[in-house]
Structures are given as structure tokens and as C-alpha cells.
Amino acid sequence: MDGGSWWRDGVLYQIYPRSFADSNGDGIGDLPGITSKLDYLQWLGIDGLWLSPTMPSPNLDWGYDVLDFCGVHPELGTMDDLDRLVREAADRNIRVLLDLVPNHTSDLHEWFIDSKRSRSSDHRDWYIWRDPKPDGSPPNNWLSVFTGPAWTFDEGTGQYHLHNFLPQQPDLDWWNDDVRDAFDAVLRFWYERGVAGFRIDVAHGIVKDRELRDNLPATPEDHPRVKLIGQQQNYNLNRPEVHDVLKRWRAVSDEYSPQRVLVGETLVLDLERWAAFYGSGTDELNLAFNFPFIFAPLDAREMSEVVATTEQLLPVEAWPVWTGTNHDTRRFPTRWCNDDPARVRCAMMILLTLRGTPFLYNGDEIGMPDTHMSPEQVLDPVKIRTEDGLGRDPGRTPMHWSPEPGAGFTGPDTEPWLPFGDYGACNVAGQRNDPDSMLNFTRDLIALRRRLSELPRGSYKPLNCPEGVWAWRRGDDVTVAVNLSDLNQDIPDMDGNIAIGTDRARDGETVTGSLVLAEWEGVIITNRPSTG
Ligand code: NOJ
């Protein structure tokens, strides 16, 4: 793969560090634990890692409340551990991306402590402080993404501070040039340590309306997520000026090398606005997470429509990114597939064969389901926002490495920070030696991407097919067909050899004229011999 496009051709993998591998037996995953699994990740065929926050944090929002943007959380290890991870990953051709959280800091960050000290302190205007309305109420009607008002009153200085998330996550003021300069320095600090890029938290939302205008109420036509919050977030997030900041970071990244990559958490539900985060295609984000796709059900019509619109809207030089799970969404095997193994394989085949960069989340490769938990076990501050009241934790529990006590994640007698779930039923060790397993299916799909250049690079062309089936051509020679229905389906005009089927017994089968797919079955067909 040529250097400049490793992240276009490659498969990236999100690690939730607290839950990946615990090297010191304290029940919390850590950086040496990740390093110890690099051989596994190389074996799987992973090209890059995104680590959810690794910086010091009081952990009210599990690392997304940062104390020091240039540090390492002691629970996860030391700076030496991080350097070693980056180095040892590079030895295996794996790049490391960190999570950058520019929207807010922890309220215990020294910038905020100074800011809160007095109205005239040096960092006062690094955050968004405003007087109360004459009746003492908050400056405007903005609501926090995590429920309740987005403003908290400070008795000491008599003003409110803005927080789009927890009160302990005060929002930085991105109209302030000092804030912009401080983050340029953060990017440079990590690039100089060999980090390959960043996933940017709340990339669509860091700049706020300069006049702090009231948000409009949600309407019945709005997306369910907007209705859940109760107002449209046109002023506290989603301001057009955010593009200037992202372009500025792209310029900093490109100074280092075109191999650096910025991937945004662009949580916008309108694809036209989403596509704008790529700028001209070469001057803004390299990749922007596609939430309409993540939130679509595993349905041929709905998903293919998102993909078609995405393909149509992207600037020529921009590159899509496809994800099923992240640490906020719950796991796709449960959310999309109801833990049905056939559906999980179809979903994995889709993620790894669309035109664009796939991001897997740790555990996706073994089809790891959400963990059943009781409300008392939940540590996530936003449990209130999900129907079952369990928040995001069922998708954040420790990785299942083995069926032994401790799940291969931690020591046999250690209580993990979140409950394990059923690691006997689904784990890496059990699947690794079984050629028919989900893990080997995922690995074989990744290997096929390397073998057939059409899979990473070829154009995407949807094909006409029966209701419930989604089929597309990649380049001239590769066809993918997935039957996302409960019926057997007969698909006309299919010819070639099955390179990989979700039913592995069909690998190598010749297809002439038409293809019959069983319910929830998918295949990749190539015009070249499958053993290539
Ligand atoms: C998005 C992150 O993915 C989520 O985990 C976090 O709670 C919020 N941003 C606030 O940082």
C-alpha cells in the first residue's frame, strides 16, 4: 500500500483502553495490555488503532473530561508505555490514533480552575461565561446533550458557565485565539511523538453561536434523537465556523505528513451537512464518521440509500468511513443483528466491502454482544438517555479473550471495572482455532481486501436486486450480495466464483447466471479464481 493512503486502504480498529487488556491485574485495561495484543491485531490484519481517551481525567465521563491534553492517565500507564505502544505498533505496520477532546475540559483542568477564580483571571475567556438573565435564570435556553440546562451558575463570580455535556465538562471558547493556539500545540506534541492522527470528539460542535441565540424547539418532523433532546441544536453545536478550525488542524497535520489522519465524530444527521466536513476533499477532515449509516437499521433499502447518498455527496477526493459500533452506540451484533450470528456475518461483510475505510470496535471481530447488566452496575453518566436506562456501558465491558476465569482480560480473581458478560460463549481463544468462526471470517474478509485491490479501491455501483437484497459491484470484477431478509432469494445476472460466503461451505463455488441466497446470507463473488 502506498504511504499516503494507508488509512484509505486499511482497516482501523477502535480500542476502549479500560476494557481491552489489563496487564497489572487491577481490573482496568491499560496501555501495556494493548501492546501485549499487537501480535493479535497484526494477525487479524489491522492497520490502525484509535484509542479512546488515554489522557489524565477524573473519569466523570470516562476520559472525555480531560485534565491534561499532553499526558497519560496513570490508571492506563505512563508516557513511556504510550511511546512503546506507538513504536511496537509501527514495527507491525500499525499506526496509532489518539482521541482529541477539544470541545471541553474537565472542571479540574488548570485552565478552568484559573478561569473560575475571578472575572479577570488569565483564562477567564477560555471558557464561556455569561451573566444570568435579570430574573437570575441561565443566559439562554440551551440544553445539555446529557439532559438538563447547559449552564451552571458559579456563586463565586456570579456568572454561568456553558457545558454541552456534564457541568464538570465546561466548554472551551473556540472564538478565543489562545484556545486555538493551545490546541495547535497539542496536535504538534503528539505528532512529534509519532502518533498518526486523531479522532476528534464532537467535531461538529466545538464552535458556539457568537450571539448565543436560543435554540428552536424540536418539531414532530425532527429525527428521534433531536426529539429526545427536545430542541434543535443549531446554536449550541453545528455552527458553520467550526470548519475553519478543522481546516486549520488539517494544515497542521499536513505539515507533518500526508499520512496523518483526522477523523471526526461528526454527529450530524443530515448527509449534506455531513459531507461538508470533508471540505474540498483535501483541506478538512480526512474521514468523517457517518452517523446516518450507524443509526440505520440493518435493512437493504435503508442502508443502501444512505450509502448511495453518501457516494453522491462526497467530493471526488474524499473518502467514506463505515462503522457499526463505537463506545457510545452499543455493539452492532446486538443493536443491528439481535445477536443472530447469520446477521452479524452479513453486517461484517457489508462493513468490510463498501468503498471506504472500515472502523471495527474491539470485540466486533468475534461478534461480541452487549453485556447484560443491572442498573446498579452502570457507571455511565448518561444512562438516562437510553430506553433500558443502562446508558452506554453494555457496549463498553471488557474484551473476551478466553474462557478462563478473568476472560483473559485480567487476573482470575480480579473484579473487572465493568462486568464481563458471557465470555465462555464468545471469546477470541475459542474462535481462533476454528476456521468456521466469526473471528476467522472477519480475518479472511480483511485478508481478501488486501488480495483484491477492488475491495479497498474500486468504484461502488449498486445493482438491481429483489426486495430485501442489497448487491453492489466494486470495480469491474468484484460483486457483493447480501440477503437481509427472512426469505431465500434468487438474484439474476450473477457470475463468477464465491471468494468468501457467510456460509463458508460456499467458498470457491462457481456461480453462473443466477445466485440463490438463503435468508441472511451474503457472498463476495469475483471473476478471478478465489484462491488468488
Ligand atoms: C462523544 C464521546 O464519544 C462520548 O463518549 C462523550 O461522552 C461525549 N462526546 C462528550 O465528550
Side-chain angles (χ1 to χ4, degrees):
M1 289 179 195
D2 57 70
S5 65
W6 72 269
W7 50 269
R8 290 181 178 241
D9 293 338
V11 175
L12 280 86
Y13 184 94
Q14 179 188 355
I15 290 182
Y16 196 71
R18 294 182 68 83
S19 288
F20 195 61
D22 170 19
S23 72
N24 61 357
D26 62 359
I28 300 167
D30 47 47
L31 297 170
I34 298 172
T35 305
S36 75
K37 299 296 182 188
L38 287 172
D39 285 339
Y40 164 75
L41 294 164
Q42 185 182 29
W43 171 84
L44 183 58
I46 298 301
D47 300 277
L49 307 176
W50 150 31
L51 310 183
S52 281
T54 43
M55 288 133 194
S57 163
N59 278 340
L60 293 182
D61 189 20
W62 300 110
Y64 287 95
D65 44 332
V66 175
L67 272 183
D68 171 7
F69 290 98
C70 297
V72 172
H73 196 303
E75 280 179 343
L76 303 180
T78 62
M79 191 60 89
D80 281 349
D81 293 329
L82 186 62
D83 288 344
R84 194 174 131 234
L85 167 57
V86 170
R87 223 175 32 242
E88 295 207 10
D91 291 344
R92 293 164 178 83
N93 261 328
I94 297 175
R95 270 94 161 176
V96 177
L97 274 61
L98 299 184
D99 212 313
L100 184 73
V101 187
N103 183 67
H104 45 265
T105 67
S106 159
D107 63 338
L108 301 180
H109 193 294
E110 60 182 28
W111 297 340
F112 190 71
I113 291 177
D114 181 53
S115 182
K116 193 174 169 177
R117 196 167 289 139
S118 89
R119 289 195 186 204
S120 59
S121 64
D122 286 350
H123 292 89
R124 183 66 173 181
D125 58 0
W126 283 44
Y127 295 84
I128 302 170
W129 292 99
R130 287 296 181 281
D131 288 334
K133 284 187 174 162
D135 66 357
S137 62
N140 67 21
N141 74 349
W142 294 355
L143 296 174
S144 154
V145 176
F146 287 173
T147 70
W151 296 94
T152 290
F153 188 66
D154 172 46
E155 297 286 348
T157 57
Q159 288 191 310
Y160 281 90
H161 82 263
L162 176 71
H163 51 88
N164 267 317
F165 298 91
L166 295 174
Q168 298 88 342
Q169 292 171 299
D171 280 34
L172 285 160
D173 187 351
W174 277 91
W175 290 101
N176 183 331
D177 282 334
D178 292 338
V179 171
R180 295 185 184 212
D181 291 345
F183 272 83
D184 288 356
V186 171
L187 262 69
R188 290 178 195 285
F189 175 85
W190 291 113
Y191 281 151
E192 271 153 33
R193 298 197 94 86
V195 162
F198 299 93
R199 175 268 189 184
I200 300 165
D201 193 58
V202 206
H204 57 296
I206 64 178
V207 180
K208 312 297 169 324
D209 181 45
R210 212 166 192 165
E211 297 162 40
L212 302 182
R213 283 169 282 186
D214 276 346
N215 280 332
L216 296 172
T219 68
E221 291 74 49
D222 279 321
H223 192 280
R225 295 181 67 87
V226 176
K227 287 195 269 193
L228 194 66
I229 290 177
Q231 57 183 214
Q232 297 172 356
Q233 298 172 305
N234 294 335
Y235 294 112
N236 65 330
L237 300 162
N238 298 312
R239 300 310 301 158
E241 297 87 356
V242 76
H243 295 288
D244 301 338
V245 180
L246 299 175
K247 288 191 165 116
R248 175 180 173 127
W249 290 342
R250 175 64 180 264
V252 172
S253 290
D254 286 353
E255 264 176 48
Y256 284 84
S257 110
Q259 296 198 35
R260 299 292 199 269
V261 53
L262 296 176
V263 47
E265 188 210 15
T266 42
L267 209 173
V268 290
L269 303 169
D270 171 74
L271 283 170
E272 211 157 317
R273 282 202 297 114
W274 163 81
F277 286 91
Y278 286 89
S280 67
T282 56
D283 64 353
E284 205 170 321
L285 293 177
N286 303 88
L287 297 170
F289 282 123
N290 188 324
F291 282 88
F293 179 82
I294 295 173
F295 295 147
L298 187 62
D299 172 272
R301 195 176 47 78
E302 295 202 40
M303 273 196 176
S304 64
E305 273 176 17
V306 175
V307 172
T309 312
T310 299
E311 287 279 347
Q312 192 198 327
L313 288 171
L314 279 186
V316 180
E317 289 174 273
W319 193 246
V321 48
W322 306 110
T323 320
T325 309
N326 67 36
H327 62 290
D328 294 328
T329 61
R330 303 278 186 95
R331 293 181 176 275
F332 85 70
T334 303
R335 192 170 56 83
W336 273 345
C337 308
N338 213 7
D339 300 329
D340 168 24
R343 291 177 199 220
V344 176
R345 285 181 187 228
C346 287
M348 185 60 86
M349 184 172 273
I350 293 168
L351 287 169
L352 291 174
T353 59
L354 288 172
R355 190 183 76 98
T357 300
F359 266 73
L360 303 183
Y361 178 70
N362 52 207
D364 281 353
E365 72 274 27
I366 54 171
M368 191 168 153
D370 283 346
T371 294
H372 298 290
M373 329 180 40
S374 64
E376 301 73 51
Q377 291 174 305
V378 172
L379 303 177
D380 181 11
V382 299
K383 52 188 158 188
I384 197 158
R385 283 274 189 228
T386 55
E387 269 172 28
D388 59 7
L390 300 177
R392 302 169 291 185
D393 283 355
R396 294 178 171 184
T397 57
M399 182 75 181
H400 295 170
W401 293 103
S402 85
E404 318 298 333
F409 164 75
T410 187
D413 304 318
T414 306
E415 188 75 22
W417 77 289
L418 282 177
F420 280 126
D422 187 358
Y423 55 90
C426 169
N427 60 67
V428 171
Q431 292 192 21
R432 195 161 167 165
N433 295 324
D434 170 6
D436 283 336
S437 66
M438 176 68 195
L439 177 58
N440 276 303
F441 173 68
T442 307
R443 179 171 183 256
D444 291 347
L445 285 173
I446 296 175
L448 190 69
R449 284 175 62 90
R450 287 186 199 275
R451 212 157 68 225
L452 301 179
S453 60
E454 289 89 342
L455 279 178
R457 301 220 170 167
S459 56
Y460 167 86
K461 182 170 170 260
L463 304 175
N464 286 331
C465 40
E467 176 88 28
V469 177
W470 181 14
W472 61 93
R473 186 144 299 148
R474 298 295 315 283
D476 293 329
D477 282 338
V478 178
T479 303
V480 184
V482 279
N483 177 6
L484 305 182
S485 82
D486 295 331
L487 305 170
N488 285 358
Q489 301 269 10
D490 201 340
I491 308 156
D493 302 324
M494 293 276 155
D495 289 288
N497 293 302
I498 296 181
I500 295 186
T502 55
D503 170 355
R504 302 305 301 271
R506 296 189 72 174
D507 290 11
E509 184 183 309
T510 303
V511 179
T512 35
S514 79
L515 167 75
V516 177
L517 285 181
E519 59 188 274
W520 299 100
E521 183 184 7
V523 292
I524 301 171
I525 299 174
T526 154
N527 290 340
R528 285 189 250 128
S530 58
T531 48

